[in-house]
């Protein structure tokens, strides 16, 4: 652990090597602003200022001033590029006991919950034999099972999946609302458009962060108007940069992750925000989850916000074995399913977005704290993979850390690994987040063996509180991802796959559209309202932007070796078509289309020669991305 | 009863834009069943007045003096204010030119009225005048009426045919206007050399370059120099005006190798100007703003894009050619050069 | 060297490629979901601010204020991006920033706020703003601000300011035909409505952000609630134009033929 790939771009220009690099001191520096930082800063702010606004805890770096707390967010504005959710909001409500959801745009209390099993109306879905049999039976018993629009409502939602008493939220709007509350207190500054390039690692600990350089060419070399990224040194660095955050990755490499832990399980979530048609009678707070279609492995969600707006989309998990697992195309097929289309037809696409999720949950937990640093949120393994819940857990880890930090500050104890262990990690171990996370740990292992064992395993784990689970071994992508030939065996001949690949390489586009159509998926009937081309989706409701003067954040570490990759899954799965076949079909990157979902980081199917747990793509901190706060 | 004043600076004969505004004022007066007067200022406005002597204005007012020849806020505002007062008008209509646009709101303020600029339509119903104008950079159109008077307007060109009538001798009534305290002077005009001129407001065609010109082409190569030559050749051969997008212009500012002749003046759309041309041709355009906004005032619209599904051309352009703009423009230039 | 006091007026507008839709509210037209749309500093006002900062940096002792009228929460958000760009002191007014308010009311509020800035010296004052906003888009607000402040040296569509050896201001304004008019103004005070200027957007500088924060948060906290509307205006309609054209999609035609069609089209008067 701890070594960098051979030709990785060197962001580590240290202060001593480059005396021009500006420096600043803070008491606490926070990387990334999402729900975890939201919980952290909300709780911290209440502790470092008295109710009358006077200083309760004085700064160590600026005597006489209140604690200096800085938070740096890479996206161009706060709340850009995060997702829409349903959450039990247990931790969020503890922080805001008087919370009125009407204060938060697009928030609604959960009103009803349903799970729909979707039959395959087009005949292209790759269903296992058992499932096909079940489908026949369901159709035959249609009237008895109340099958409507090729969908069957499950008679009951297991307790562990229920979100009663919770909230449907737009995370963009929620995080903006939280940021307003936090900054309104004056206790912390939250800076968007400020990607953190790396942590300053000194003496077996973290001494602060460096922001990325500006005025550089795409390869990171100084160019016109070069401005070296500032160093912000602080006794405590809070890493909350999410599941694909570069600082989290850097710390994992530098300090290792606990024995037996891994992050092999992940999913890509992609969604639309839609203005529902007048004819749609779904109440705000309606929560609908689907399974079974477009592929058995792909789950769907449909959350209704106030004012006839809905967030809807799909999750494409790591254990879906297609190497051409384009989420956008599948999302359109899912939306066209009669049970969904019935609700949305006549509506209008407002915006679109994508994000990856760390789905190893607690088993993907890194070292939670060390000298001068602590990790919170999704990147710290807080997501509960059994209850499909992450926001509330992330928020709560932030709250727990803030409580620990306030205790250390009040006792004037330094942020050593030992002190953070007792003040934060021990607290977290005693929390509901950790307890529920343990129950969930093995809950999804069955999916490694297929959709049916997966569903059974999830039910077993949920109903026995984690005591029983279906076994299964999560694998890294290079062991998991099949070649196109393997995946389409019996459906598309290898020669034909090669021809399709060649043709799409020549056009500079991914092959998945041609492959899916060859495999029986119908063309999408673009209507300019709900069904638009992938490229147009990049421009709807907030164009994807990439400010000039920053280095490319996606870096192919061994570009010449990518030619030998069979799947080129980085191209096939890219959420924004930002990775495309360039020269000789090798992957190339167009930053102006990147939504920073990080799928390429997770899914690279070629093991890194220096560290087989990793692929051959570096995902750095980058500016830009989606400009939509509705997601 | 409204009283209407058509107001314009005069630099010799009135411009087409001013004659269109005159026609608009006359139309409004007719539809309101009222009359209108003319107010002009400049070093010798008599000539301009004579040019429109037969326009049926009830009177011609003028502020005359060498100091009123310059396109300058202090003197233009003073002259327009004096003419406004002398006419007693409740509605003042001027052309959307740089001189009138610079001062109309200040003049309205001095006269105790209100101003509206970029007016694209004037109508009267039940004796009440209403205007149409755009909001949010041409993304929505409002039709509105006002209670405050005088109502001072600048009307866009192209909303009415220019007034066309016989010249004659106008009986101009001089209006006194002081011009003390002038602290600014126009010292010249800077125009790009004829061969570098890429903005031609009078051109028939607006040629819009999208960011695609500077991107990797299907063969994997970036061909900025070829793009540059194709575009400049086309502009030279067609005498088209050039529009671009903020992102392209910004890239230029960042020192990234791109189309060197572009500057912020070429920006059209959300962050730039909204030029008016009879025809517009957008190239390598995918995803760039001209489709959504800058095109609003373009009559016939065509686009060349590699993406047949381009939602920004569909429904907005009359014709979308699904083709490589490099190949097409090379042939276009060859044909034009014949 | 002159020490300028540069007051920039500028507010926020929706991020440009958001989908905008008008709605009719009790106080007249408004934008649907206005408070949810991502916002940024009005582009031409932004250029004015960057030009102001550039001028100030070349003339030590100069100072820049930004007078912004907008909903406080949105202003706060935009300031977190803007504050990192260039040094300025914020004067915040808590009120609507939408395009359907009347220029004269906005101008009156801005002028009052400028007049209340302590220590302003007219002989050093330059008032900057955007030539036109991306919301109301009239290009009239700044003129009225100038009138209220008694400034009759006004320039609109400005792309450049240079200081002559004499201290006179050499100003380039956009005029017809893609040309610039060159004017010399003896000295401040003057008012400049900026077009795009020639400066690239400044880099995000965290230190500048930190320094600005010292005045921004207090300014936001004491932002004066400001009532601005459209008194006297009645909108009979506000609508997104019907843009749908029947687009003919021409595929699979060789470049030669496309070129011939285009040439015929552009040469056919």
């Amino acid at each position: 652990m701890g070594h960098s790939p051979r030709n990785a771009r060197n962001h580590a220009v240290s202060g001593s090597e480059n005396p021009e690099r500006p420096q600043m001191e803070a008491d606490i520096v926070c990387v990334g602003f999402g729900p975890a930082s939201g919980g952290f800063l909300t709780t911290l702010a209440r502790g470092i200022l008295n109710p009358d606004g006077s200083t309760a805890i004085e700064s160590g770096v600026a005597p006489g001033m209140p604690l200096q707390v800085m938070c740096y967010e890479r996206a161009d504005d706060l709340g850009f590029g995060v997702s829409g959710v349903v959450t039990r909001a247990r931790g969020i409500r503890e922080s805001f006991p008087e919370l009125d959801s009407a204060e938060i745009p697009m928030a609604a209390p959960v009103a009803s919950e349903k799970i729909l099993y979707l039959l395959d109306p087009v005949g292209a879905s790759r269903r296992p034999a058992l499932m096909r049999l079940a489908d026949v039976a369901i159709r035959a018993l249609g009237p008895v099972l109340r099958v409507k629009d090729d969908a069957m409502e499950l008679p009951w939602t297991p307790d562990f999946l229920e979100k009663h008493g919770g909230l449907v939220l737009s995370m963009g709007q929620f995080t903006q609302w939280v940021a307003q509350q936090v900054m309104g207190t004056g206790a912390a500054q939250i800076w968007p458009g400020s990607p953190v390039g790396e942590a300053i690692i000194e003496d077996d600990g973290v001494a602060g962060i460096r922001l990325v350089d500006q005025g550089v060419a795409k390869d990171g070399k100084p160019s016109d108007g070069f401005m070296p990224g500032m160093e912000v040194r602080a006794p405590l660095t809070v890493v909350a940069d999410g599941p694909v955050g570069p600082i989290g990755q850097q710390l994992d490499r530098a300090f290792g992750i606990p024995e037996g832990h891994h992050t092999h399980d992940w999913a890509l979530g992609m969604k639309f925000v839609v203005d529902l048609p007048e004819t749609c009678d779904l109440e705000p707070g309606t929560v609908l989850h689907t399974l079974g279609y477009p592929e058995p492995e792909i789950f769907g969600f449909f959350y209704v916000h106030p004012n006839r707006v809905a967030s809807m989309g799909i999750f494409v998990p790591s254990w879906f074995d297609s190497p051409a697992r384009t989420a956008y195309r599948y999302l359109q097929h899912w939306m066209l399913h009669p049970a969904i289309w019935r609700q949305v037809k006549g509506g209008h696409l407002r915006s679109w977005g994508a994000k990856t999720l760390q789905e190893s949950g607690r088993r993907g937990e890194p070292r939670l704290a060390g000298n001068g640093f602590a990790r919170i949120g999704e990147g710290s393994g807080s997501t509960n993979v059994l209850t499909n819940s992450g926001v509330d857990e992330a928020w709560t880890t932030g709250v727990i850390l803030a409580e620990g930090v306030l205790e250390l500050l009040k006792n004037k104890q330094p942020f050593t690994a030992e002190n953070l262990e007792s003040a934060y990690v021990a607290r977290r171990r005693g929390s509901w987040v950790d307890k529920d996370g343990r129950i969930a740990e093995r809950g999804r292992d069955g999916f490694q063996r297929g959709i049916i064992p997966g569903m059974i395993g999830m039910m077993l784990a949920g109903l026995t509180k984690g005591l029983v689970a279906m076994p299964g071994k999560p694998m890294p992508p290079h062991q998991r991802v099949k070649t196109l030939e393997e995946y389409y065996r019996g459906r598309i001949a290898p020669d034909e796959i090669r021809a399709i690949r060649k043709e799409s390489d020549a056009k500079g586009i991914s092959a998945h559209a041609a492959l899916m159509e060859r495999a029986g998926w119908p063309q999408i009937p673009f209507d300019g309202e709900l069904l638009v081309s992938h490229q147009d989706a990049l421009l709807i409701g907030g164009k994807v932007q990439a400010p000039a003067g920053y280095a490319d954040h996606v870096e192919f570490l061994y570009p010449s070796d990518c030619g030998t990759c069979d799947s080129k899954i980085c191209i096939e799965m890219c959420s924004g078509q930002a990775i495309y076949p360039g020269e000789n079909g090798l992957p190339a990157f167009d930053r102006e289309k990147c939504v920073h979902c990080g799928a390429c980081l997770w899914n690279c199917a070629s093991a890194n020669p220096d560290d087989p747990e990793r692929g051959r793509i570096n995902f750095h901190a980058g500016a830009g991305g989606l400009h939509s706060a509705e997601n | 009863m409204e009283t209407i004043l058509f107001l314009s600076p005069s630099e010799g004969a009135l411009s087409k834009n001013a004659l269109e505004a005159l026609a608009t004022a006359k139309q409004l007066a007719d539809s309101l069943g009222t009359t209108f007067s003319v107010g002009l200022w400049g070093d010798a406005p008599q000539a301009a007045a004579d040019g429109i002597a037969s326009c049926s204005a009830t009177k011609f007012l003028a502020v005359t003096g060498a100091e009123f020849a310059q396109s300058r806020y202090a003197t233009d505002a003073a002259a327009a204010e004096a003419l406004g007062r002398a006419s007693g008008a409740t509605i003042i209509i001027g052309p959307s030119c740089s001189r009138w646009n610079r001062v109309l709101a200040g003049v309205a303020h001095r006269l105790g009225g209100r101003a509206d600029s970029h007016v694209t339509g004037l109508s009267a119903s039940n004796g009440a005048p209403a205007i149409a104008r755009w909001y949010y950079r041409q993304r929505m159109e409002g039709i509105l009426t006002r209670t405050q008077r005088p109502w001072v307007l600048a009307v866009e060109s192209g909303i009415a045919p220019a007034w066309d009538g016989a010249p004659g001798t106008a009986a101009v009534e001089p209006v006194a206007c002081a011009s003390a305290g002038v602290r600014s002077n126009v010292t010249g005009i800077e125009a790009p050399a004829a061969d570098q001129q890429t903005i031609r407001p009078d051109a028939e065609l607006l040629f819009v370059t999208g960011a695609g010109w500077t991107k990797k082409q299907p063969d994997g190569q970036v061909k900025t120099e070829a793009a540059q030559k194709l575009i400049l050749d086309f502009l030279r051969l067609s005498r088209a005006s050039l529009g671009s997008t903020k992102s392209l212009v910004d890239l230029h500012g960042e020192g990234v190798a791109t189309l060197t002749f572009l500057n912020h003046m070429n920006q059209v759309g959300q962050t730039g100007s909204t030029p008016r041309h009879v025809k517009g041709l957008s190239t390598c355009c995918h995803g760039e703003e001209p489709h959504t906004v800058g095109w609003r005032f373009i009559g016939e619209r065509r686009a060349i894009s590699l993406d047949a599904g381009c939602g920004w051309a569909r429904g907005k352009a009359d014709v979308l050619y699904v083709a490589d703009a490099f190949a097409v423009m090379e042939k276009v230039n060859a044909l034009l050069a014949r | 060297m002159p020490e300028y006091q540069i007051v920039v007026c500028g507010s926020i507008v929706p991020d440009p490629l958001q989908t905008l839709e008008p709605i009719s509210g009790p106080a007249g037209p408004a934008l649907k979901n206005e408070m949810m749309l991502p916002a940024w500093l009005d582009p031409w006002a932004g250029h004015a601010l960057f030009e102001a900062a550039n001028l100030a940096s070349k003339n030590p002792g100069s100072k820049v204020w930004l007078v912004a009228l907008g909903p406080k929460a949105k202003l706060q958000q935009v300031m977190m991006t803007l504050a990192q760009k260039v040094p300025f002191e914020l004067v915040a007014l808590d009120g609507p920033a939408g395009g359907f308010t009347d220029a004269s009311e906005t101008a009156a509020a801005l002028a009052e706020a400028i007049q209340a800035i302590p220590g302003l010296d007219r002989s050093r004052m330059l008032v900057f703003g955007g030539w036109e906003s991306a919301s109301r888009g009239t290009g009239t607000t700044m003129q009225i601000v100038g009138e209220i402040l008694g400034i009759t040296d006004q320039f609109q569509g400005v792309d450049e300011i240079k200081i002559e050896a004499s201290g006179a201001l050499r100003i380039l304004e956009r005029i017809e035909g893609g040309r610039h008019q060159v004017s010399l103004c003896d000295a401040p005070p003057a008012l400049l409505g900026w077009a795009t200027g020639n400066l690239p957007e400044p880099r995000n500088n965290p230190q500048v952000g930190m320094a600005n924060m010292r005045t921004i948060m207090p300014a936001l906290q004491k932002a004066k609630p400001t009532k601005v509307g459209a008194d006297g205006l009645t909108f009979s309609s506000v609508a997104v134009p019907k843009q749908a054209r029947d687009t003919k999609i021409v595929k699979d035609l060789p470049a030669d033929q496309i070129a011939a069609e285009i040439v015929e089209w552009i040469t056919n008067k």
Side-chain angles (χ1 to χ4, degrees), chain B residues 116-131:
Chain B
D116 281 295
S117 60
H118 300 308
V119 173
T120 53
L122 258 169
S123 59
S125 63
N126 303 327
I131 63 160

Side-chain angles (χ1 to χ4, degrees), chain B residues 2 114 116 185 322:
Chain B
E2 305 282 2
R114 294 281 195 275
D116 281 295
N185 279 293
V322 182

Side-chain angles (χ1 to χ4, degrees), chain B:
Chain B
M1 174 68 106
E2 305 282 2
T3 55
I4 295 171
L5 172 69
F6 161 72
L7 200 55
S8 176
S10 77
E11 297 166 353
L14 291 183
S15 66
K16 178 167 170 268
N17 190 353
L19 293 172
E20 290 171 354
L22 169 61
T24 309
K26 187 170 152 49
Q27 262 173 25
L28 182 68
D30 290 347
S31 55
L32 290 173
T34 184
T35 57
F36 75 100
S37 51
V38 169
L40 301 167
W41 75 92
D43 54 350
Q46 180 71 47
D50 289 347
I52 55 169
S54 65
C55 70
S56 73
T58 49
K59 55 185 170 182
F60 289 84
L61 306 169
V63 169
T64 306
E67 64 274 33
F68 297 105
Q70 282 195 22
S71 167
R72 168 176 54 198
Y73 186 92
T75 41
D76 283 350
E81 178 194 357
L83 291 164
R85 286 193 197 286
S87 71
T90 56
I91 296 177
I92 299 175
I93 296 173
S96 197
C97 62
S98 58
R99 284 184 78 166
W100 181 233
N101 278 340
R102 191 193 290 125
V103 299
L104 89 153
V107 172
H109 180 79
R110 291 182 191 185
L111 296 174
R114 294 281 195 275
D116 281 295
S117 60
H118 300 308
V119 173
T120 53
L122 258 169
S123 59
S125 63
N126 303 327
I131 63 160
R133 72 174 309 278
W134 292 87
Y135 289 84
Y136 291 94
R137 289 273 159 91
Q138 285 68 51
R139 291 163 90 178
M140 49 194 79
E141 187 181 37
I143 297 176
L144 54 110
T145 57
R146 268 192 191 277
T147 54
Q148 298 100 342
R149 295 290 184 274
W151 192 4
V152 184
L153 304 170
V155 297
E156 290 291 294
S157 69
I159 68 165
W163 179 85
D164 187 14
T169 305
V172 172
E173 297 173 28
V175 172
C177 177
S179 63
V182 169
R183 301 161 64 249
S184 293
N185 279 293
V186 178
T187 60
I189 301 291
E190 282 188 2
D195 60 341
Q196 289 169 11
Q197 174 80 336
T198 60
I199 298 172
R200 301 184 182 94
D202 299 328
E204 184 98 343
L205 178 73
L206 175 71
F207 182 76
V208 183
T209 56
W213 285 104
T214 59
K215 294 278 170 67
K216 224 173 236 185
Q217 299 307 312
D219 60 3
Q221 304 300 309
V222 174
K223 300 174 177 171
T224 317
E225 276 181 27
Q228 183 139 329
K229 182 169 182 326
L230 280 175
I231 294 166
L232 286 178
D233 282 352
F234 176 73
L235 295 177
R236 181 171 51 80
L237 292 162
S238 67
R239 308 303 295 163
S241 190
L242 178 66
S244 186
T245 59
K246 184 173 187 300
S247 55
L248 258 187
V249 174
D250 280 357
L251 282 177
H252 176 44
E254 300 284 348
V256 176
T258 176
L259 308 173
T260 53
F261 48 83
L262 288 175
N263 65 43
H264 287 293
M265 297 270 280
N266 293 101
Q267 251 170 254
V268 297
Q270 272 303 291
T271 54
S273 59
T274 47
R276 286 148 198 274
H277 296 270
V278 178
K279 296 170 189 173
L281 177 62
S282 185
T283 52
C284 283
C285 49
H286 190 88
E288 296 301 338
E289 295 94 312
H291 278 312
T292 53
V293 279
W295 287 79
R296 185 85 9 102
F297 298 116
I298 305 297
E300 301 167 29
R301 313 166 188 171
R302 297 192 180 194
I304 308 172
S305 171
L306 278 169
D307 182 2
C310 172
W312 305 90
R314 282 191 174 202
K316 298 186 180 77
D318 302 308
V319 183
L320 167 63
Y321 297 103
V322 182
D324 178 358
F326 279 82
V328 173
M329 293 313 292
E330 194 177 336
K331 304 284 182 191
V332 165
N333 286 349
L335 288 172
L336 288 173
R338 273 191 205 163

Side-chain angles (χ1 to χ4, degrees), chain A residues 290-559:
Chain A
T290 74
L291 60 116
Y293 184 81
E295 301 286 8
E297 295 87 349
I298 294 176
F299 295 85
F301 62 92
F302 191 127
Y303 308 145
V304 182
H305 303 284
N307 304 318
R308 256 182 225 292
V309 175
S311 292
M312 60 183 71
I314 56 170
F315 292 108
V316 181
S318 51
W319 33 267
F320 172 37
D321 282 337
S322 170
R325 56 179 93 148
T326 165
Y328 187 77
R329 181 71 186 259
Y330 276 126
L331 172 53
Q332 290 186 316
H333 286 301
W334 175 81
M335 187 161 72
L336 281 164
H337 189 284
I340 305 298
W341 192 243
R342 177 171 68 88
Q343 304 289 359
V344 300
K345 188 184 172 197
H348 177 74
L349 182 59
R350 269 161 70 133
S351 69
W352 160 89
K355 152 183 204 309
T356 49
L357 298 93
Q358 192 270 58
E359 297 224 320
S360 294
R362 200 185 170 282
R363 276 197 311 213
E365 188 185 279
R367 270 184 67 178
L368 290 178
N371 288 325
F373 78 89
R375 298 181 65 172
I376 54 175
E378 191 180 350
S380 77
S382 58
T383 298
N384 189 310
V385 295
L386 191 60
T387 60
N388 299 324
S389 177
V391 169
D392 206 22
E393 286 75 5
W395 177 274
T396 305
T397 60
V399 172
I400 294 169
L401 175 64
E403 288 166 356
V405 164
L406 286 168
E407 179 186 293
L408 294 178
L409 286 167
K410 280 176 191 151
N411 296 336
K412 301 202 186 308
Q413 290 175 279
F415 297 115
T416 58
E418 197 182 12
N419 289 341
L420 286 165
E421 189 70 33
S422 61
Y424 167 48
V425 181
R427 258 192 178 81
R428 182 159 159 176
R429 293 285 173 248
S431 72
W432 63 265
V433 174
D434 201 77
K435 188 168 135 269
D436 292 359
R438 280 178 199 277
I439 292 173
E441 256 181 359
R442 294 183 299 145
R444 290 199 185 184
D445 284 356
F447 285 111
Q448 305 300 329
R449 304 164 62 177
I451 179 72
I452 294 168
M455 296 304 295
I456 294 170
M458 216 167 134
M459 293 306 288
L460 283 175
L463 298 175
T464 63
K465 303 231 175 275
L467 288 175
V468 184
M470 187 71 85
K473 187 173 183 294
M475 291 179 288
H478 66 273
Q479 290 172 12
R480 173 103 233 166
V481 177
K482 295 179 175 174
T483 64
L484 285 169
E485 287 77 6
E486 284 167 342
Y487 182 74
Y488 283 112
R489 185 168 294 151
R491 288 200 162 200
I492 312 178
D495 283 353
E496 204 178 341
I497 291 175
R498 271 192 293 279
I500 288 172
R501 170 73 86 195
K502 199 173 163 195
E503 195 182 335
S504 52
D505 279 359
K507 288 184 188 161
I509 56 171
S510 58
H512 60 240
L515 288 167
M516 283 180 70
E517 276 159 35
R518 177 62 188 75
W521 289 99
Q523 287 204 336
I524 301 294
F526 292 137
D527 60 9
E529 289 292 328
L530 284 169
L531 300 167
V532 301
S533 75
H534 198 167
Q535 284 307 291
D536 285 350
L538 290 175
L539 305 167
I540 279 177
K543 185 182 175 183
V544 178
Q545 317 235 347
Y550 291 89
D552 272 355
H553 53 276
V554 169
E555 185 186 14
F556 303 100
L557 295 172
Y558 307 94

Side-chain angles (χ1 to χ4, degrees), chain A residues 10-251:
Chain A
N10 181 17
H11 279 258
V13 185
S14 78
S16 56
E17 281 161 14
N18 184 350
E20 299 291 314
R21 190 177 288 279
Q23 252 190 37
M24 202 171 84
E25 281 195 299
D27 293 289
I28 296 174
V29 62
C30 197
V31 184
F33 186 75
S37 306
F40 176 71
L41 294 174
T42 298
T43 311
L44 190 73
R46 290 171 186 169
I48 60 182
L49 293 176
N50 294 315
D52 64 0
S54 61
T55 302
I57 297 178
E58 205 174 287
S59 168
V61 297
M65 304 274 286
L67 206 69
Q68 298 289 294
V69 183
M70 301 289 144
C71 179
Y72 295 102
E73 162 59 35
R74 62 142 219 96
D76 290 345
D77 207 341
L78 304 180
F80 278 4
V82 284
S83 187
V85 296
V86 59
T87 172
R88 276 188 185 155
R90 178 174 165 184
I92 292 169
R93 284 196 197 277
E94 275 172 22
S95 294
F96 301 106
E98 308 291 318
L99 182 72
D100 173 5
S101 65
E103 282 177 34
I104 307 169
M106 293 176 79
V110 171
S112 67
E113 294 173 79
K114 269 187 208 172
I115 301 178
L116 286 185
Y117 174 73
L118 303 181
L119 296 161
D120 173 12
V122 303
S125 183
R126 285 177 60 114
R127 303 167 105 75
L130 196 59
M131 202 163 167
R132 282 202 299 272
L133 267 178
D135 287 359
V136 171
I138 290 169
R139 281 188 204 279
L141 295 170
V144 183
L145 298 174
R146 290 190 301 166
V147 174
K148 194 180 163 198
D149 297 318
D150 280 321
M152 178 181 72
E153 185 183 332
L154 298 196
W156 135 101
T157 302
D159 271 356
F160 63 90
L161 287 177
E162 276 189 353
K163 302 286 189 292
H164 279 331
L167 293 169
V168 167
L169 291 173
S170 149
M171 283 310 294
Q173 292 299 316
F174 176 67
T175 41
Q176 288 199 348
W177 179 81
V178 171
Q180 280 166 20
Q181 317 297 313
V182 170
M183 284 194 287
T185 66
Q189 295 175 12
I190 310 168
W191 296 102
S194 305
V196 174
E198 61 178 356
I200 304 170
I201 297 179
E202 286 174 1
D203 306 328
D204 196 30
V206 173
I209 55 106
R210 288 188 190 105
L211 297 170
V212 297
D213 295 342
Q214 296 174 70
V216 293
K218 287 183 173 186
D219 61 4
K221 295 201 176 95
S223 172
D224 285 359
F226 175 63
M227 195 172 101
M230 191 170 67
E231 281 193 5
V232 185
R233 290 184 168 263
L236 177 65
T237 299
V238 176
V239 181
D241 59 354
V244 294
I247 306 307
Q249 293 174 54
Q250 184 196 358
L251 298 190

